[in-house]
Amino acid sequence: MVTPIENRAAVTQNHCVPFVPDAVDRRLLRLLQEDAGRTLRELGELVGLSPSAVQRRIRGYRAAGVVAREVAVLDPAALGPTTLAVVLVTLDHESAEHHAAFRTRMRHEPRVQQCYDLAGQWDYVVVLVTDSLAECRALSDRLFLGDGNVRRYDTLPVLDPVKTGLTVPLPEP
Amino acid sequence: MVTPIENRAAVTQNHCVPFVPDAVDRRLLRLLQEDAGRTLRELGELVGLSPSAVQRRIRGYRAAGVVAREVAVLDPAALGPTTLAVVLVTLDHESAEHHAAFRTRMRHEPRVQQCYDLAGQWDYVVVLVTDSLAECRALSDRLFLGDGNVRRYDTLPVLDPVKTGLTVPLPEP
DNA sequence: CGTGAAAGTTTGATTGT
DNA sequence: ACAATCAAACTTTCACG
């Protein structure tokens, strides 16, 4: 007998058709975003399904790329004094090569926590995690001045991380 | 017999003394930030420890608050078209009550993924996750104009999420 | 989707360094 | 104080109904 192709997973990998979650999928995904450490039995009890049904669904989320990864979130403050900063950056030369070089640099620097390409007056916003404002300054100089292709950057030090996370909203109804 | 107090955990909970990781702790924490789905045996093989030694350390990270939580990271693009936007906000009235009200609003809105209190010309930077620029506009109006305490805000739509994550740098040496 | 048996993982007591 | 070992409890996995 021929194994039937799983539609949702297969098509979604073509980056064409989105994964369409039902009400239970949305509840499960909300629970997994909150705490990925729960057992299949716990999750099953919370959504009213057997452990293996939960497992099948979660397997589907991974296959469809809906669940990209599972990670531990560290609290930098527990490891010692930490400075966060949001940096707005505009490049000087706007060629594809210059942009690619900048992005590669951001992806390789561990103290760059996030980097987004922007529309508008600024080209990028970058979130830096350092031990101190001094280290932040030194890193900015190296990252944004060393290369010579940054026209201007503006550093906005973070006073308080009011809300952090990577949570994606999943409407209830 | 009296149970000895676990120094690192107990003191760190006072938000005073940081947790001081050794070389193995740093390797483990780096692995857990990358992928929290590995088994204790796998982790043990990667750092050269027995599964139960790994378990004891990880238990310590949780107790010390170094590992805050374990979450599944979803790819919003796999669920359909998504618009990310970075919004810079300055409040009108700067009293403690006005700031508290704003923060509460950010924390309660699921489409606010991140919010940081800033030093400098802007009071806050907010990351919004919506289905479209139109929904982003509607949400901004409700969040930043509905309340009447925002002096001005600047929306920077995201063209490409070059690097995302909550990873905290853990130096090697 | 649920059930149940097999495989693998986590847990904690114990012992040794 | 920390690591290894081992057995019991629990989870995950998968074939089948």
Side-chain angles (χ1 to χ4, degrees):
Chain A
M1 183 194 171
V2 178
T3 307
I5 293 165
E6 288 198 17
N7 293 326
R8 299 199 295 189
V11 181
T12 305
Q13 278 180 345
N14 293 339
H15 300 291
C16 268
V17 176
F19 176 93
V20 183
D22 64 17
V24 174
D25 289 324
R26 282 195 296 271
R27 286 180 66 192
L28 271 176
L29 290 167
R30 235 179 287 126
L31 288 165
L32 291 170
Q33 288 193 96
E34 229 171 58
D35 177 2
R38 279 181 274 233
T39 64
L40 298 174
R41 192 176 53 72
E42 278 179 293
L43 291 167
E45 277 164 15
L46 289 166
V47 303
L49 243 52
S50 72
S52 61
V54 172
Q55 187 194 34
R56 254 193 306 273
R57 285 181 186 246
I58 292 177
R59 192 191 293 265
Y61 307 152
R62 282 204 150 279
V66 175
V67 169
R69 40 212 232 106
E70 242 171 79
V71 301
V73 180
L74 307 197
D75 177 7
L79 288 159
T82 308
T83 299
L84 273 150
V86 175
V87 186
L88 296 163
V89 179
T90 296
L91 296 194
D92 202 359
H93 303 292
E94 294 267 10
S95 78
E97 290 76 19
H98 283 114
H99 275 279
F102 182 81
R103 292 149 104 106
T104 302
R105 211 131 36 85
M106 295 305 110
R107 283 194 266 251
H108 281 65
E109 171 55 56
R111 287 167 296 182
V112 171
Q113 191 183 64
Q114 303 175 49
C115 173
Y116 299 96
D117 186 354
L118 300 175
Q121 64 265 55
W122 296 99
D123 285 337
Y124 294 97
V125 62
V126 179
V127 176
L128 299 180
V129 185
T130 53
D131 290 355
S132 61
L133 259 180
E135 197 202 321
C136 176
R137 175 64 179 271
L139 177 61
S140 300
D141 282 359
R142 203 169 68 54
L143 276 177
F144 306 129
L145 294 183
D147 149 271
N149 189 37
V150 170
R151 184 190 298 270
R152 109 179 177 281
Y153 72 93
D154 192 2
T155 303
L156 313 172
V158 171
L159 296 175
D160 181 33
V162 175
K163 185 177 187 174
T164 61
L166 299 173
T167 311
V168 174
L170 291 158
E172 291 243 14
Chain B
M1 183 195 170
V2 179
T3 307
I5 293 167
E6 288 199 16
N7 294 325
R8 300 199 295 188
V11 180
T12 305
Q13 280 181 342
N14 294 340
H15 300 289
C16 268
V17 176
F19 176 93
V20 183
D22 64 18
V24 174
D25 290 324
R26 283 195 296 270
R27 286 179 66 193
L28 272 176
L29 289 168
R30 237 180 284 126
L31 289 166
L32 292 170
Q33 288 193 96
E34 230 170 57
D35 178 2
R38 279 182 273 233
T39 63
L40 298 173
R41 191 175 55 72
E42 277 179 292
L43 290 167
E45 276 165 16
L46 289 165
V47 303
L49 242 51
S50 73
S52 60
V54 172
Q55 187 194 35
R56 208 159 345 95
R57 285 181 186 245
I58 292 178
R59 196 189 291 265
Y61 308 152
R62 282 203 151 282
V66 175
V67 170
R69 42 213 293 260
E70 242 173 79
V71 300
V73 181
L74 307 196
D75 176 8
L79 288 159
T82 307
T83 300
L84 272 151
V86 175
V87 186
L88 297 163
V89 179
T90 297
L91 297 194
D92 201 0
H93 303 291
E94 295 267 10
S95 77
E97 289 77 17
H98 283 115
H99 275 279
F102 182 82
R103 292 149 105 106
T104 302
R105 212 130 38 85
M106 296 305 109
R107 282 195 266 251
H108 281 64
E109 171 54 59
R111 290 167 294 182
V112 170
Q113 192 183 65
Q114 301 176 49
C115 172
Y116 298 97
D117 186 354
L118 300 176
Q121 63 265 56
W122 297 100
D123 285 337
Y124 294 97
V125 62
V126 179
V127 177
L128 299 181
V129 185
T130 53
D131 291 354
S132 63
L133 258 182
E135 197 202 321
C136 176
R137 176 63 179 270
L139 178 61
S140 298
D141 282 359
R142 202 168 69 52
L143 275 178
F144 305 131
L145 293 184
D147 150 89
N149 188 37
V150 170
R151 184 189 300 269
R152 108 180 178 280
Y153 71 92
D154 193 0
T155 303
L156 313 171
V158 171
L159 296 176
D160 181 32
V162 175
K163 184 176 189 175
T164 61
L166 298 173
T167 310
V168 173
L170 290 157
E172 292 243 13

